[in-house]
Amino acid sequence: MTTEYLSITALTKYIKRKFDVDPYLTKVYLTGEISNFRLRPNAHQYFSLKDDHAKISAIMFKSAFKRIKFMPEEGMKVLVTGHVSVYEPGGTYQIYVDSMEPDGVGQLYQAYEQLKRKLDKEGLFSQPKKALVKYPKRIAVVTSPSGAVIRDIITTVRRRYPIAQIVLFPALVQGNEASADIVQQIKRVNQIGNFDTLIIGRGGGSIEDLWPFNEENVARAIYESQIPIISSVGHETDTTIADLVADVRAATPTAAAELAVPRLDQTLVELKTTQNRIINAEYQLIEQAKLKLKRLRQSTVFTSPQRIYEVFSQRLDLLNQRLLNQSGKVTDLRKNTVSQLTMRLKMVAPTYAIKEQQQKLHVLELRLKQNQLQNLSRTKQHYQMLVSSLDHLSPLKILGRGYTYTTDDSGRFISRLADLNSKTINVHFTDGIVNATVNKITNQKEDE
C-alpha cells in the first residue's frame, strides 16, 4: 500500500476549511488584554489579545477600525467580536475583529462620547474662554478636603504667590452624589462673587472615579460660571467634559496653581524692571524736551522775530497785487455779463413785442378794410342785380306797357269774374286809379 503525502498548502487549506465551517468560530466573543499594538495610520491594525495563560493574534481591518470611538492602547482590556480563521501563508490561526470596546467602561465611554457630541454641537466647547486674572487676590478651590489636590494647590500658591488667599469649597469628587455637590459649590462660589479664579480638581483614577466630571450638570455649571475656571481632573492623559468646557485645563493640581498665580519674586522683578523703564523713559522725554526747548530758543523766532514779518509782508504785497488784478478781471467779466444780459433783455422786452403786435394789428386792419370794401362792392352788385330782377317783376313795369289791374273796395285783386262781389271796382293805371261801376258782365264761355 502506497502512502499519499500532502503538501503544506493542501493541509493548510484543509485546516482553514475546518475553521471556516465550524459554527462556533464564525461568531466569537472574546475578552482580553491588548498586546503588541502599534498604531498604523489609515491602515489595517495588527495586534494580539492575551490573558494570563494564552495569546491569540488579531487583525482589525481599516473599515472596522474607523468605527470604534476610542484609541486602543497597550495593556487595555477590551471586549471584541469577530471570527477565527487560518492565515494560510503563515499557517497560523487568528481572530478577525469586527468590533471592539473597552471592557468594563464601554457603556460609560459611550455615554461620554454622546454627551461630548451634544455639548460640542451646542457650542459649550467653542465659546470664548474667559481670561484668567493675572494677579488674583482670592482663589476658590472646589475639591475634596482630604485629598492631595488641595494640599498641592496650597503649597504651590504659598510658594509662588503667598499674598493670594485660597478658600476651599469642599465637595465630593467621586460617587453618584458627587456631580450635584460639585454643581452646588460652583454656584455658591459665583453667588459670593468676590473671587478672581476658581479651580476644580481631583486626583487620578479610573473612568468610573472621574465620571462626576463627565456629567452634564457639571459641564453646564462650568459654562454658566461668571468666574474663570481652571479644570484639573485626573492625570495628564485623562480628558473629561469638565476639561473641555473650562476656560483653562491643567494637567495636574500643581499646574493649575501655577496657572492661577504668578511667581511673586518674578512679579517684583518685573515691577522693578518696569519702574526702571518708566524712569528711563521719563528721563529721556525730559532730555528730549530740553533739547527741543534749546533749539526753539535758538530759532529765528526768538533771535530775529522781525524776519518773520518780512516774509509775511512780502506775501501780503503779492496777494494785494493779485487781488487787484483779479478784481479788475472780475469787474470786466461782470460788465460783459451785464451787457450780454441787457441785450438779451432788450430782445425779450415788452416794447419789442408791443411794436411787433402793433405792426400785425396794422396789417390786419388794412386787410379788414380791404375785405370790407370787397364785401361792400359784392353786396352792392348783388343788390343792384336783385333790384333789376325785382324791377322786371314789378306790376308797375307791366302797367307801363299798357296793362292795368283791378281791385274791389277792400283792395283785393280781381282776376276772374268769380272774384267780383260788388258793382264798384277800382282800375289801376300807371299814373292813377279809376273808380268804375260795372254795368254788364259778359262771360267768355257764353260768347263762344
Side-chain angles (χ1 to χ4, degrees), residues 124 127 129 222 229-231 241-249:
L124 269 68
Q127 89 282 7
K129 304 296 185 179
I222 295 174
I229 293 181
I230 301 175
S231 175
I241 298 294
D243 295 332
L244 299 175
V245 182
D247 299 293
V248 178
R249 178 183 182 269

Side-chain angles (χ1 to χ4, degrees), residues 84-221:
V84 178
S85 184
V86 174
Y87 179 62
E88 293 184 41
T92 59
Y93 78 96
Q94 59 187 6
I95 182 170
Y96 294 82
V97 180
D98 297 325
S99 64
M100 178 191 300
E101 67 178 42
D103 186 13
V105 296
Q107 294 181 356
L108 292 180
Y109 185 80
Q110 186 177 10
Y112 169 83
E113 288 294 327
Q114 290 176 350
L115 179 60
K116 182 179 176 182
R117 288 193 296 269
K118 175 184 176 181
L119 298 182
D120 187 28
K121 187 176 181 180
E122 293 182 17
L124 269 68
F125 302 155
S126 59
Q127 89 282 7
K129 304 296 185 179
K130 294 182 284 295
L132 298 178
V133 177
K134 188 173 183 180
Y135 304 106
K137 296 179 181 179
R138 302 188 73 204
I139 300 173
V141 181
V142 176
T143 188
S144 172
S146 59
V149 173
I150 186 62
R151 293 195 299 271
D152 291 344
I153 292 175
I154 292 175
T155 301
T156 304
V157 172
R158 285 179 177 175
R159 172 174 52 84
R160 291 172 57 90
Y161 200 70
I163 61 176
Q165 180 185 5
I166 299 176
V167 180
L168 172 64
F169 289 82
L172 296 174
V173 293
Q174 184 174 338
N176 296 331
E177 300 178 358
S179 62
D181 200 15
I182 295 171
V183 170
Q184 181 181 359
Q185 296 296 16
I186 293 175
K187 292 182 177 180
R188 183 182 170 197
V189 173
N190 280 269
Q191 288 173 356
I192 295 174
N194 57 352
F195 291 94
D196 300 310
T197 306
L198 171 59
I199 298 176
I200 300 175
R202 67 147 290 154
S206 64
I207 188 171
E208 293 92 341
D209 297 336
L210 302 180
W211 193 251
F213 296 91
N214 289 323
E215 296 283 355
E216 184 174 357
N217 57 347
V218 174
R220 295 195 181 279

